[in-house]
Amino acid sequence: MTIESPLVLPHFAADKGGSRVLESHGNAMTSTLDLDFRKMSLKSDITIEFNSGSSSSASIVTPSLNSGEVSDGTTSSTPANGSLSPTADSFWKETTRTLYEKLLSAANYPTEIHQHYVKFFDESVVPALGPIPSKTSMWTPHLTKDHSPFEPSWNIQGSKQQIRFSIEPVGSKGGTNLDPLNQEHPLAFVESLSTTNLCPSLDTTWWNHFTSELFLSNSEITTLQSLSPPAKMTPTCFLAFDLPSEKFAPILKAYLFPHRQALLSGKTTTQCVIDSAKKLHSSTISILPTLVHIESFLNAKQSTTPSTNKVVSNLGGEEQEKSIEMMAIDCISPSKARIKMYVKENIASFANVKNIYTLGRRSSGAEIDVGLAAFEEFWVSLFGDTESTQFKPAFLFLGLEIIPGVEMPDVKLYVPAWTCPFGDQEITARLGGYFKSQDWAIGSTYDDDFQKLCGNDEGTPAKASYTYLSFAYSSAKGPYVTLYYSPNISQLGPV
């Protein structure tokens, strides 16, 4: 098996008459683009040539300019491999790669596939993680509460397991006047990825649609910056990769946020996402019936009891009613892709899980009852019973997954582990108990697995910690659990 060359990541280097210059290093690439983000296309006259003597080398052939030089005659400090900084690359490899590799090993990836995913991570992903966060950073990652731009996860369905990871691509200009909302870097990263075969299933149709809908144009950025009081800084984009264990074939997913468009339009975040998604409905991609059910449920009066929760999620939303704080898409053929809408529930109770799972009783039947029983079993394994409030987390996310042609959404539960009133060791024990109750083999090994992944030597901090615990059920797959982790970057101090 061969794997393509490292991803050569372009970035925008200089203002030029109201536009900016897109540059990439490896060999040089330049293209002048109008930065209206909601209409922009990053396509340019670029071809990629692969060195026939090596499956891991490639060059970019472009019409002009030498490597490292931009159109205004200045020389970029970006290294030739496309990374932002060799120091940052070394830091991110040191703090993320061990956890990533241990997860691949724990999930029993074949050696060759394991090695290819590590190569992909080192050469294409690490350079996208951006500068080392600090108090003086112009852009602080929002992906995890500890501000790590890397969050791996372990999906467990009995004996079937898969590793995934999410990143927050952060550009060197992110948060500066050149890219105040860190929009350029995700756009450039996906555009570069689309010119390779690293993700064989990659299709950017929905990516282009939703970035056009939710990213801001230059004029909108100016309007946002003029608001008083200033708009709260919220995330722009996360990207994620599913890693099939059968072959090297990463599958890209994108996570986008409606807060800024909601602020500018006067709409709720929920309405921004649903209105954007409705534009995709067609005779061949039927999603409108599902969207109507979700819209009706979320727009209905939810509760007469206001939430007293003051804990803001790492995603930044502060709405008190149920609201969509984030959406996600599979970046594959739209006929096979899903749209996910992440609803924040500020009152963390099983009654509210049940309410969202059934969309306020809009969904019912024997299969729904079986699913609810599975959710309840997982809930009780974590929190003791369905009524107690002693051990509940501060809030919940419920993911509503829209599949074209299917009327009702699938529902997934996300528990913010970092808000639970017990630590990682207790969470691990409770998860182990759940795995054993399902007769999953991992039930007898998970405690040891966790210690290898995240445990600490005496007197040293943990290597990693839980971020979210996710549960889902389907009649086809049965119950499945996804565990999310964050590497420890506490050595940086407050960020």
Side-chain angles (χ1 to χ4, degrees), residues 6 36 65 79 86 126 149 172 180-181 183 185 266 274 347 349 359 384 396 420-421 430 487:
D36 183 337
L65 296 189
V126 167
S172 60
L181 303 182
Q183 295 183 142
H185 202 57
I274 288 177
I347 304 175
S349 69
L359 288 191
L396 302 170
C420 289
R430 295 182 186 208

Side-chain angles (χ1 to χ4, degrees), residues 424-425 428-429 432 435 442-453:
D424 282 2
Q425 295 299 329
T428 299
F435 296 151
I442 195 171
S444 62
T445 64
Y446 185 65
D447 184 71
D448 288 340
D449 291 332
F450 178 78
Q451 293 306 317
K452 291 175 183 176
L453 290 170

Side-chain angles (χ1 to χ4, degrees), residues 313 315 325 342-344 395-399 412-414 468:
S313 78
L315 306 184
E325 283 207 11
Y342 294 84
V343 176
K344 187 184 180 190
F395 60 88
L396 302 170
F397 277 108
L398 279 296
K412 295 181 178 179
L413 169 67
Y414 297 84
Y468 285 86

Side-chain angles (χ1 to χ4, degrees), residues 48 112 209 322 389 414 418 439 452:
I48 294 184
E112 184 181 12
H209 170 76
K322 293 177 179 64
T389 60
Y414 297 84
W418 47 277
D439 293 324
K452 291 175 183 176

Side-chain angles (χ1 to χ4, degrees), residues 304-346:
T304 57
T305 305
S307 170
T308 58
N309 171 37
K310 300 299 183 183
V311 179
V312 178
S313 78
N314 56 302
L315 306 184
E318 298 184 24
E319 292 84 351
Q320 287 302 299
E321 286 287 355
K322 293 177 179 64
S323 59
I324 297 174
E325 283 207 11
M326 177 175 72
M327 65 154 300
I329 50 171
D330 298 321
C331 296
I332 60 176
S333 170
S335 64
K336 302 176 182 177
R338 304 159 299 169
I339 301 173
K340 298 179 184 178
M341 300 180 179
Y342 294 84
V343 176
K344 187 184 180 190
E345 172 53 74
N346 288 296

Side-chain angles (χ1 to χ4, degrees), residues 119-262:
K119 180 180 176 69
F120 170 67
F121 182 74
D122 284 349
E123 297 182 347
S124 297
V125 175
V126 167
L129 297 180
I132 301 171
S134 72
K135 280 185 174 181
T136 59
S137 295
M138 299 303 294
W139 185 268
T140 301
H142 300 77
L143 179 60
T144 72
K145 74 175 183 68
D146 298 320
H147 308 299
S148 166
F150 174 68
E151 182 186 47
S153 60
W154 187 357
N155 179 260
I156 303 165
Q157 303 171 42
S159 60
K160 184 179 180 182
Q161 301 175 22
Q162 186 178 92
I163 302 306
R164 307 162 178 174
F165 65 83
S166 301
I167 64 169
E168 181 171 357
V170 180
S172 60
K173 306 291 192 298
T176 71
N177 289 335
L178 294 178
D179 185 18
L181 303 182
N182 191 47
Q183 295 183 142
E184 295 176 3
H185 202 57
L187 289 167
F189 182 89
V190 173
E191 176 64 17
S192 289
L193 196 63
S194 72
T195 66
T196 77
N197 289 322
L198 288 169
C199 296
S201 62
L202 179 60
D203 184 307
T204 59
T205 302
W206 280 8
W207 163 259
N208 293 334
H209 170 76
F210 281 109
T211 53
S212 172
E213 289 286 314
L214 298 177
F215 278 22
L216 302 193
S217 66
N218 281 341
S219 61
E220 288 171 326
I221 291 173
T222 300
T223 300
L224 187 75
Q225 291 172 327
S226 69
L227 295 178
S228 180
K232 178 181 178 180
M233 188 55 68
T234 55
T236 294
C237 174
F238 305 151
L239 298 174
F241 294 91
D242 290 350
L243 308 177
S245 59
E246 302 82 15
K247 62 179 179 179
F248 175 83
I251 301 168
L252 179 65
K253 298 182 290 188
Y255 296 77
L256 301 168
F257 300 86
H259 305 90
R260 296 176 189 132
Q261 282 295 354

Side-chain angles (χ1 to χ4, degrees), residues 7 9 11 25 77-87 89 123 126-128:
L7 182 64
L9 182 64
H11 75 265
H25 299 276
S77 61
T78 304
N81 69 352
S83 68
L84 296 175
S85 159
T87 303
D89 285 3
E123 297 182 347
V126 167

Side-chain angles (χ1 to χ4, degrees), residues 245-306:
S245 59
E246 302 82 15
K247 62 179 179 179
F248 175 83
I251 301 168
L252 179 65
K253 298 182 290 188
Y255 296 77
L256 301 168
F257 300 86
H259 305 90
R260 296 176 189 132
Q261 282 295 354
L263 189 62
L264 292 177
S265 67
K267 295 179 180 180
T268 64
T269 56
T270 294
Q271 207 59 52
C272 279
V273 171
I274 288 177
D275 287 351
S276 297
K278 282 181 176 179
K279 295 177 182 180
L280 294 175
H281 176 76
S282 69
S283 59
T284 56
I285 306 295
S286 177
I287 58 175
L288 187 58
T290 320
L291 290 169
V292 169
H293 284 305
I294 294 172
E295 183 176 30
S296 173
F297 170 67
L298 293 178
N299 286 342
K301 184 174 177 61
Q302 299 296 334
S303 171
T304 57
T305 305

